[in-house]
Amino acid sequence: MRAVSVEDLKPGMILARTLVNDDMIVILSENTLLTKAHITRLTFLNIPVVYVKDEYELSKNYQAVAAIFNRGNAFLKDYKSVVSAARRIIDEVRETGNVPVSETNAVVTKQITPLAKSSGAIDYLYELNHLAADVYNHSLRVSILAGVIAKWLHFDAEKAKDIMLAGFLHDIGKTKFDQRLLDKNIENLKGEDYERYIQHTVDGHHILASVGGLSDGVKLAAMQHHERMDGSGFPFNCKGTDIHEYARIIAVADIYDNITTEREGYVKRTPFAAIEYFMQQMYTTLDPAVCVPVLTRIKDAFLGSRVVLSDGSKGKIAAFPNDFAALPVIEITKDRLINLNDHPDIKITEYNPK
């Protein structure tokens, strides 16, 4: 291994030592394949030197492989391979009403968990454009996001795996929907269609209730992920701690995915729209014990990322204010910084972590 100054790092180099900050929070893990976004982020965090693997430690085919695949491409490739497995599971539930527990556990443990542990998972999920909003894609993304949140909440491995399982199965009740309802914009549902939509939470719990090997948390997450802390949710208007911890976490993951994913009938918004929403809702409808760690940690993922503002300006995310403000400071030029918290009329319209 050799020490390299951050300014001399190149995409494709591999970290030889895990990087941690002063609070002992991991910034990047050992064996991370560095991308341009990683290097920019290290620069903004004022990290002067890192250790990378030298030629002796690397496979002789490393240069060729690194030239073909960057870490984002590898994430996308792994994601697509999991989608086919997720679709098989969801289709089996739709056709038979039975959950293949062994296969589902294997997919979560062997395929979803590594994606959730990936450095940059939040960025890579945002890059997954033009993906269908079907049940299995959405369930897979929520499962990955739940795993990321579990990491931020310092869950042990077994509990993290369980919350990812809850994320994957949270919308299983939608397997009872006909295609007409699945194709509709949820925000436009009225009357019987809306009542039928609400029923997916109860149906999900009924499907999972008799399944052996599933925790109460997994089953309750299916029924309660639309409940809200102030009692304004559905299906039973539960409040506060009457809502299972898993359901409160899945609610945040579910909302984040709905805001930031391209879906028919919806406008895909940036992660900063999700951050603003969580800031507004975390003391009313959402659990602050989940939102505060998410807001604290998710911002680190965006440092150094390129953005386009609603006034046409382009820049990089330089910092977040220390007062827990929702929005970042944007460096337009070295001499011009815009604190978006002081300019509510200016929004981030495009976010590109590359």
Side-chain angles (χ1 to χ4, degrees), residues 270 272 276 305-318 327-333 336-341 343-352:
T270 70
F272 305 99
E276 284 191 89
S305 298
R306 293 187 290 122
V307 295
V308 178
L309 304 181
S310 56
D311 65 358
S313 301
K314 297 180 180 180
K316 292 182 179 180
I317 298 173
L327 299 173
V329 176
I330 308 300
E331 179 183 298
I332 306 301
T333 67
R336 184 186 175 205
L337 297 174
I338 297 178
N339 185 340
L340 294 181
N341 298 284
H343 297 275
D345 55 319
I346 301 177
K347 303 293 183 182
I348 295 174
T349 56
E350 293 182 38
Y351 165 72
N352 186 348

Side-chain angles (χ1 to χ4, degrees), residues 132-347:
D134 48 62
V135 175
Y136 47 90
N137 265 299
H138 173 63
S139 298
L140 176 53
R141 291 191 298 265
V142 169
S143 182
I144 295 170
L145 288 165
V148 173
I149 294 173
K151 179 172 60 178
W152 291 342
L153 294 175
H154 305 293
F155 285 3
D156 62 36
E158 191 60 32
K159 189 173 181 180
K161 181 256 181 183
D162 210 36
I163 191 68
M164 283 184 275
L165 185 61
F168 184 75
L169 295 173
H170 81 286
D171 264 351
I172 203 70
K174 288 183 179 178
T175 56
K176 290 185 174 291
F177 283 3
D178 57 34
Q179 193 61 43
R180 180 190 67 82
L181 189 57
L182 286 172
D183 290 340
K184 283 197 171 186
N185 185 326
I186 295 169
E187 293 179 357
N188 295 333
L189 293 179
K190 296 179 181 179
E192 290 184 3
D193 282 345
Y194 182 67
E195 293 301 319
R196 182 69 192 89
Y197 176 78
I198 289 176
Q199 187 65 25
H200 84 269
T201 57
V202 177
D203 287 343
H205 188 260
H206 285 168
I207 290 170
L208 301 180
S210 60
V211 177
L214 297 181
S215 69
D216 288 342
V218 171
K219 296 174 182 179
L220 286 171
M223 185 164 65
Q224 295 183 333
H225 64 277
H226 284 289
E227 299 285 9
R228 296 296 179 255
M229 298 294 284
D230 62 355
S232 63
F234 62 80
F236 299 121
N237 306 112
C238 295
K239 290 184 178 182
T241 55
D242 288 337
I243 305 168
H244 194 278
E245 178 189 30
Y246 285 12
R248 286 178 261 151
I249 293 169
I250 299 304
V252 171
D254 184 51
I255 290 168
Y256 182 89
D257 185 64
N258 286 335
I259 289 175
T260 61
T261 299
E262 181 175 300
R263 297 177 294 153
E264 186 174 350
Y266 292 81
V267 176
K268 175 179 178 176
R269 288 175 285 169
T270 70
F272 305 99
I275 288 175
E276 284 191 89
Y277 183 86
F278 294 150
M279 288 287 293
Q280 294 164 0
Q281 300 295 320
M282 68 179 181
Y283 294 114
T284 53
T285 63
L286 300 177
D287 185 358
V290 178
C291 289
V292 169
V294 167
L295 290 169
T296 301
R297 295 297 303 276
I298 200 170
K299 292 175 180 179
D300 292 339
F302 303 137
L303 292 175
S305 298
R306 293 187 290 122
V307 295
V308 178
L309 304 181
S310 56
D311 65 358
S313 301
K314 297 180 180 180
K316 292 182 179 180
I317 298 173
F320 282 87
N322 293 325
D323 59 358
F324 205 59
L327 299 173
V329 176
I330 308 300
E331 179 183 298
I332 306 301
T333 67
K334 289 185 177 180
D335 299 320
R336 184 186 175 205
L337 297 174
I338 297 178
N339 185 340
L340 294 181
N341 298 284
D342 298 333
H343 297 275
D345 55 319
I346 301 177
K347 303 293 183 182

